[in-house]
Amino acid sequence: ALPILQQIEDALQRQVLEDGEIDTALLELNAVPENTLNAYRAASFGLLPASRADLMEAERSLVELLSPALAQRHRVVPIGHHAHALVVACAHPLQATALRELETYADLPIELRIATEVRVESALALHYGIDIAPRMRRLAEHVAALPAGDAPIVEISELESSYGGDPFETHQALDDAEELDAADAHEPASPSAVPLPPPTVVAEHGAGALHVV
């Protein structure tokens, strides 16, 4: 069994060698369930997560609210709709110019939900027929055979205090993980589930805004 620090280091090394997102590397290492990873990734951006089912089971009527060209250009997938907004999933928050383009096309404000890189790419391939890179295809097939896991709402302050910043954007996560690694030296973590900081569930996610206490 690999300790926490070793799993994070392996993921970062894989990211450097093969490019892509840190969440892609973590999924390739079977380090964290997909929906759990979504929750922590979304919290690092101050947004709500989108689950595997949200993207892969999106209704055709929703998908058709954006053109394939727009979805491909901005790497977004519509997953929800209500009177005041179109909800789209993406791997990163969008720039203001991209949001304006989507809002102009949909004639609605856009609300963002965050998912892993592989899930967004898989959904674009499924719903719009957009080509998916071989690495993403292999990973999508791999994670499809695994449980998606839970998607709690993570309190942002808890995430920052545990990692000293955004674990998906900075290698400073390694410094903070060293203490956890040393504490668990005699009880190493299972490679199939990195014990991320205990999430604080503050609200069920849906079409509404993120409420953090």
Side-chain angles (χ1 to χ4, degrees):
L2 291 174
I4 300 167
L5 178 59
Q6 185 62 57
Q7 289 188 320
I8 297 174
E9 288 179 335
D10 288 349
L12 291 171
Q13 289 173 6
R14 183 183 289 263
Q15 182 188 23
V16 169
L17 291 173
E18 301 189 32
D19 205 3
E21 298 293 324
I22 186 65
D23 57 83
T24 294
L26 287 167
L27 288 172
E28 288 172 332
L29 294 170
N30 295 332
V32 187
E34 180 180 348
N35 286 345
T36 304
L37 189 56
N38 288 342
Y40 280 87
R41 181 175 174 82
S44 76
F45 293 123
L47 294 169
L48 291 168
S51 70
R52 179 192 296 178
D54 288 338
L55 280 93
M56 303 310 285
E57 299 173 12
E59 297 179 0
R60 174 54 52 184
S61 59
L62 285 173
V63 171
E64 292 175 348
L65 291 175
L66 290 182
S67 69
L70 271 179
Q72 181 174 19
R73 179 156 64 250
H74 300 302
R75 318 313 287 183
V76 297
V77 178
I79 60 171
H81 175 271
H82 54 81
H84 304 292
L86 175 64
V87 182
V88 304
C90 48
H92 297 278
L94 300 180
Q95 297 294 327
T97 53
L99 281 172
R100 284 196 295 270
E101 185 175 7
L102 294 174
E103 289 173 342
T104 298
Y105 187 92
D107 197 26
L108 280 170
I110 297 295
E111 289 184 7
L112 302 180
R113 300 291 183 268
I114 297 295
T116 58
E117 177 186 35
V118 67
R119 188 52 51 207
V120 172
E121 295 302 308
S122 297
L124 287 170
L126 174 66
H127 299 304
Y128 293 106
I130 295 169
D131 288 342
I132 184 171
R135 182 186 181 191
M136 291 292 104
R137 186 182 301 280
R138 290 193 300 271
L139 181 55
E141 293 171 354
H142 172 70
V143 298
L146 302 174
D150 296 326
I153 299 300
V154 180
E155 188 174 1
I156 297 171
S157 59
E158 175 73 15
L159 184 70
E160 292 175 343
S161 64
S162 297
Y163 283 104
D166 180 352
F168 297 98
E169 296 292 336
T170 175
H171 291 191
Q172 288 299 316
L174 289 174
D175 296 332
D176 298 318
E178 285 179 351
E179 294 181 6
L180 293 175
D181 189 26
D184 291 340
H186 301 294
E187 295 182 16
S190 167
S192 61
V194 170
L196 293 168
T200 300
V201 179
V202 295
E204 293 298 326
H205 73 272
L210 177 65
H211 300 287
V212 179
V213 296

